[in-house]
């Protein structure tokens, strides 16, 4: 399954239409329908109902990224967001190191206060208490699931019969 980046972007942001002044280009980008006028999208090539977003000489038409270029723009934006989140995380870690670098008591207090809470959360999740991670029903299913030994014994009994 491949992603059609042009149509995906048009679905999220809308079509980009343009009415060129040149008659030869205008007739290729324009269609008259029963619902009104339709203009061809510069990004995906589909016709979109309504007035064009811009008009003028063809050399003044907006440059719209398409295909691999559009995919590259998406990937670069994703990487920029990831780097920004990573930078904030590193800044917070640096701030914590700076804040607690000269104070052993503050670090001990931090661990004493939050380590107990973390231990309780781990126990709640691991033992499926209070309905967490599926609760009693999931615990029973896990308990009654077949172990590899049971599977081997069942296979041996089936082979002897």
């Amino acid at each position: 399954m491949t992603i059609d980046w042009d149509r995906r972007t048009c679905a999220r942001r809308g079509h980009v239409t343009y009415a060129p002044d040149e008659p030869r280009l205008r007739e290729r980008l324009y269609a008259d329908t029963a619902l009104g006028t339709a203009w061809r999208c510069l990004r995906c090539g589909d016709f979109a109902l309504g007035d064009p977003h811009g008009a003028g000489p063809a050399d003044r038409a907006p440059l719209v990224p398409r295909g691999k270029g559009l995919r590259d723009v998406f990937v670069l934006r994703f990487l920029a967001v990831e780097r920004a989140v990573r930078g904030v995380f590193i800044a917070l870690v640096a701030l914590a190191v700076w804040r607690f670098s000269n104070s052993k008591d503050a670090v001990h207090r931090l661990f004493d206060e939050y380590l107990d809470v973390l231990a309780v959360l781990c126990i709640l999740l691991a033992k499926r208490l209070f309905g967490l991670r599926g609760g009693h029903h999931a615990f029973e299913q896990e308990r009654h699931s077949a172990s590899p030994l049971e599977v081997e014994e069942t296979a041996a009994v089936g082979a002897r019969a």
Side-chain angles (χ1 to χ4, degrees), residues 10-154:
C10 283
R12 290 180 181 240
R13 294 189 183 161
H15 295 287
V16 179
T17 55
Y18 188 78
D21 290 340
E22 293 82 359
R24 183 179 56 81
L25 291 174
R26 189 180 194 85
E27 72 183 32
R28 291 184 63 201
L29 297 176
Y30 171 79
D32 196 18
T33 68
L35 297 174
T37 61
W39 291 89
R40 187 178 297 267
C41 177
L42 298 178
R43 184 181 297 122
C44 68
D46 291 343
F47 280 94
L49 290 173
D51 295 328
H53 293 107
D59 59 350
R60 303 263 183 188
L63 294 175
V64 182
R66 302 182 60 191
K68 287 184 178 182
L70 185 61
R71 183 197 62 200
D72 292 345
V73 167
F74 176 78
V75 169
L76 286 174
R77 286 180 184 159
F78 177 78
L79 290 174
V81 168
E82 183 267 336
R83 295 295 171 137
V85 169
R86 184 183 295 192
V88 168
F89 177 73
I90 289 172
L92 290 175
V93 168
L95 180 66
V97 167
W98 176 73
R99 170 86 167 83
F100 297 118
S101 64
N102 294 330
S103 177
K104 287 185 179 181
D105 293 335
V107 173
H108 285 292
R109 275 187 290 145
L110 180 73
F111 278 105
D112 288 342
E113 291 173 8
Y114 294 111
L115 198 56
D116 294 337
V117 173
L118 186 62
V120 169
L121 283 175
C122 287
I123 291 171
L124 289 174
L125 289 172
K127 300 298 180 184
R128 301 178 190 271
L129 300 176
F130 303 109
L132 297 175
R133 290 185 49 228
H136 183 72
H137 178 70
F139 174 74
E140 289 297 322
Q141 279 185 334
E142 184 178 303
R143 202 177 92 188
H144 292 293
S145 67
S147 72
L149 182 61
E150 291 173 351
V151 171
E152 291 297 325
E153 287 177 0
T154 305

